[in-house]
Every structure is written in C-alpha cells, then in structure tokens.
C-alpha cells in the first residue's frame, strides 16, 4: 500500500509537469519580430525601380543639373512593368520617387525640380501615382524610396533643406500614395553636386544631419505598416553588399555598431562587415534585405544590354538571400522609352517559372513523423505541424531538450534537391545547427547541414536525392526547439 501511494504520487507529479508544459508555450528567446516584420518576412521578394532623368543621361548618379525636358519616355506604361514583375513571383514594387539627382517624380510642392517641369503627360504627370495604382491593382505591395542626399538642392547640407524640403517630401509621399509595405533609406551621403549652381562638394554628418529619429517618427505615424529598411533597420537591415547575398550563417538579430567610438550608428554610418551575418543574440530583431540590380547598374545603360542576370544567376541569388532568411530586393531599370528591356522581362519570368515549379510539390506532405521528443507529449506541439500549411503552428520540445531527431517516413519514394526549414520566429531565433540524412541503401547518409535557420532556410543540394525516409537532426539550440516547417522540393530541370 505504501509503495502504491508512492508510485501514485510520482505519477501525479509527472502528469502535473506534462499538463503544465502542455498548457505553456516555450518562452520566447531573445529579440522577436513585430507584426510588421512578420508580414515583411512573408513577402520574400520584391523589386526597386530606378527611372529618372539620370536614365536619359546614361549615368548611375545624376549630378543634379539635368534639364527636366529630357525626361520624356514615349512608352511608359506602369501596368506593363507591374505585370513583368508579378510574372517573376515578386510580391512588391518600390519606386525610387527621388534619387540622389534630386528630381521628384511626383508633383511636389517642395521643389521646382520635379516632373511637372518635364514633358511627361504634358507636365501633368505623376509617375509615382501611376506606379502605385498599377501595383495595388495587381495585388502587390507598394514601397517608396526618397533619397535624403539631394545633389540639386541649393540648401543641401543646411537645416533649410532638411526642414523645408526633405521632411515635406516624406509627408507628401507618405500621405498620398496608399498604404506602403516598405520604405527604403539609403546610406549614400553627401559629396559633390550641382546644389543650385554652386557645383561643389558638400559633406554632412550622417549621424546627425538627417535626424533619423525624427524620420522614423514620421514613418511610424503616417505609415505604421511600412517596414523601414536602412543600413541598421529599424525593421530591416542592409545586408552590407549589393551582390544579393546574406552570409551562410545569417542571424535575424543585430546589435548595430558605430564606426566611431561614442557616436551612434545610423544609416550610412555603421560597421558594414557585421551586416551580412547580423549578430547572434543581437539586441534588435533586424533581418537582412539583399538589394541587387538585375543588370550591372541600378539605372539602365544600353552598353549593359546582354548583361541582364540570367534565371540561373537569379536562382543562385535567391538561395543566398531568401534561402538565408533575408529578402531579395531586385533592381529593375526601364529604358528611356519607359519600358523594360525584353531580356529583363524574359529572365524575370523564367526565374519565376522555375520557382513556381520548384515549390509546387512538397514531398514531405503526408509523411509519418517520429520525434525523439515532443513537448509534454502534447498534440499542440506535435511534429505533424511541420508539414501543415500554417507558418506559425510548430513542433516544440520540452524545456530541457535542446537537441532532437525527427524521422520522416515519406508517403512515396521521392526525388528532391531542396530542403526547407522554418522556425516559429514569433518565439525568436533559436536553432544554431542542424543536419539532414537520407535513408539510402539501408543506411543513413548525411545530405545537408545548416547553421542559422530563422524564418526561412533553404538548403540547395548539388545533386538529387532519391529516398523514402529522411531524418532531421537538430544539433544545437540554446533553448528548447520551436520549428514550424520542414519541406522537400525538386527543381524542375532535375525532376
Ligand atoms: C545605393 C544608391 O547609391 C544606388 O544608386 C541605388 O539607389 C541603391 C539601391 O542604393 O546605395
């Protein structure tokens, strides 16, 4: 009787722990994303369009002295551009409303140097509006970039430019062009320019002149849904290069560091070498955006015809950006006619077709999954959440379990060469190392491995694997695991 009582109390105690854990989700780990950042993460790919008088001058950085009369595209049609972008699977379009040359593509009241002084739509045009309407009609997100550096304005580098011109431009743009999904802030700061005819070099202190704290307040107030991109976030960080790749180990958190001791980091003023990797256990949730032009330059140059990135090159970029939990922001550049070059349209479309085919079938769907541990043995955290279509339902382990194995008995013998993992990032970025094995000729064989996982990790294998059983080993995590997605896919040419 005595023994029976003891066993009973142990049993009650264990059930108690299991019950408590079943009721309690894992505690979030470190910095976590906001709703705005979650929405951004799901977008994965969007484009940024450069098209100003600089296009007509065949330059990359307009000096700020171009005659507005040269901005005269004969065949500009926003719908055609949007359709080409959509065919590539991109989910948004950011328009450069003003680049460093200072020319505003909307009828602004802040400067004379704007589209109403050009022949476009007989001086009655608003290119930003045309793009916004076409973008929203196609169901894509709209974003804006208004360069703080302005090589046209006579007052650039003085308070008058910032207070009477730049903030005003932001207010016009953020109130008249619908709900923005992202806004882009660039770190290019000062240098030589036209500056109202002064034609000189002007330097500013990037950490103070623009007063980014004020700018972020304007954005938050007027566009609360817009994810802010800059070298240091606050929502999305620059990845530190314009080649389109995040580091193999890329954390979604960052502790920005200033290049000068005792000064605050700011856009254009940060230790760049930290940006491709982010910071493990960084202070802020600040995942990376990889901005890279489709052609060698951000603007169209006829001599670069034939150098448009091919679908194969774009795929490489995709796996090293989107596949490393970053976003891909691809630069598109209309020709002076206002149209995209036929090669650009074709390569974007073909790239999109490959992606569509690749991710059409998940060979892990319908698998029977066995886990070495499931939190509180509860259905709430069961491994089958890894193969449902909910990005945030997840499999979790008990608090004390920081490595675990899962075996996926696939429904059928399958051939694949892409593996996808996603953590439930609402609980932070947890996992630090994983490996994947396939059951081949009666034994487990390692086929892939990765470090950081985060919101989206794609492992692209060099050859197709054929098997009916796959094992995922979570090797390292500082806290219990919260994984939401496991997928197996095949690129079309390898099927
Ligand atoms: C850079 C700019 O200087 C380029 O001209 C381009 O706009 C790119 C997207 O950002 O830093």
């Amino acid at each position: 009787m005595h023994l029976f009582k003891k066993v009973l109390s142990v049993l009650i105690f264990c059930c108690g722990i299991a019950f408590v854990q079943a009721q309690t989700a894992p505690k979030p780990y470190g910095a976590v994303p906001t709703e705005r950042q979650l929405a951004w993460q799901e977008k994965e790919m969007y484009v940024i369009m450069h098209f100003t008088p600089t296009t007509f001058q065949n330059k990359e950085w307009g000096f700020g002295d171009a005659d507005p009369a040269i901005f005269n595209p004969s065949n500009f049609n926003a719908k055609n551009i949007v359709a080409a972008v959509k065919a590539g699977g991109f989910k948004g379009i950011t328009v450069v409303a003003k680049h460093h040359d200072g020319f505003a593509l909307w009828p602004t009241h802040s400067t004379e140097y704007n589209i109403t002084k050009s022949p476009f739509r007989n001086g009655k045009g608003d290119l930003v509006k045309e793009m916004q309407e076409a973008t929203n009609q196609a169901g894509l997100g709209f974003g804006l970039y208004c360069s703080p550096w302005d090589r046209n304005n006579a007052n650039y580098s003085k308070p008058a430019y910032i207070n009477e011109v730049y903030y005003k431009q932001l207010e016009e743009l953020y109130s008249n062009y619908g709900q923005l999904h992202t806004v882009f802030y660039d770190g290019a700061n000062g240098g030589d320019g036209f500056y109202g005819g002064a034609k000189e070099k002007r330097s500013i202190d990037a950490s103070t002149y623009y007063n980014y704290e004020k700018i972020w307040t304007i954005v938050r107030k007027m566009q609360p849904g817009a994810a802010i991109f800059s070298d240091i976030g606050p929502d999305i960080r620059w990845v530190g290069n314009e080649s389109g790749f995040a580091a193999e180990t890329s954390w979604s958190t960052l502790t920005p560091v200033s290049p000068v001791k005792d000064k605050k980091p700011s856009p254009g003023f940060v230790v760049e070498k930290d940006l491709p990797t982010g910071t493990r256990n960084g202070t802020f949730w600040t995942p990376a955006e990889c901005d890279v032009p489709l052609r060698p330059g951000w603007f169209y140059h006829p001599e670069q015809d034939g150098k448009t990135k091919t679908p194969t090159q774009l795929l490489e970029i995709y796996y090293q950006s989107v596949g490393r939990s970053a976003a891909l922001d691809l630069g598109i550049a209309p020709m002076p006619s206002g149209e995209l070059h036929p090669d650009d349209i074709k390569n974007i479309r073909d790239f999109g077709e490959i992606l569509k085919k690749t991710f059409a079938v998940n060979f892990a769907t319908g698998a029977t999954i066995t886990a070495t541990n499931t939190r509180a043995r509860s259905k709430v955290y069961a491994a089958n959440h890894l193969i449902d279509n909910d990005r945030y339902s997840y499999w979790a382990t008990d608090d004390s379990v920081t490595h675990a194995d899962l075996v996926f008995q696939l429904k059928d013998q399958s051939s694949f060469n892409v593996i996808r993992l996603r953590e439930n990032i609402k609980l932070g970025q947890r996992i630090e190392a994983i490996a994947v094995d396939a059951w081949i000729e009666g034994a487990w064989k390692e086929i892939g491995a990765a470090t950081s996982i985060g919101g989206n990790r794609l492992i692209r294998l060099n050859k197709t694997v054929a098997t009916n059983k796959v094992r995922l080993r979570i090797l390292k995590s500082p806290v219990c695991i919260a994984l939401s997605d496991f997928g197996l896919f095949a690129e079309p040419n390898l099927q």
Side-chain angles (χ1 to χ4, degrees), residues 269-290:
F269 194 69
V270 64
V271 174
E272 284 184 13
K273 71 165 182 41
D274 297 342
L275 300 180
T277 55
T279 319
R280 179 56 174 146
N281 303 319
T283 322
F284 305 105
W285 185 269
T286 326
E289 172 183 305
C290 301

Side-chain angles (χ1 to χ4, degrees), residues 50 61 99-100 145 184 186 188 242 291 298:
H50 288 73
W61 278 4
H99 198 243
H100 309 325
Y145 167 34
F184 187 97
D186 166 51
E242 290 185 348
D291 58 329
W298 290 104

Side-chain angles (χ1 to χ4, degrees), residues 95-126:
V95 166
V96 178
K98 183 189 89 170
H99 198 243
H100 309 325
D101 65 325
F103 185 82
L105 291 169
W106 75 103
T108 179
H109 299 293
S110 64
T111 171
E112 290 287 291
Y113 200 50
N114 73 57
I115 200 155
T116 62
K117 302 287 178 300
S118 82
F120 181 69
R121 313 279 186 245
N122 296 319
K124 296 202 168 50
D126 182 344

Side-chain angles (χ1 to χ4, degrees), residues 401-412:
V401 177
T402 56
H403 51 91
D405 293 356
L406 291 158
V407 173
F408 295 77
Q409 178 66 56
L410 306 182
K411 237 171 65 199
D412 304 300

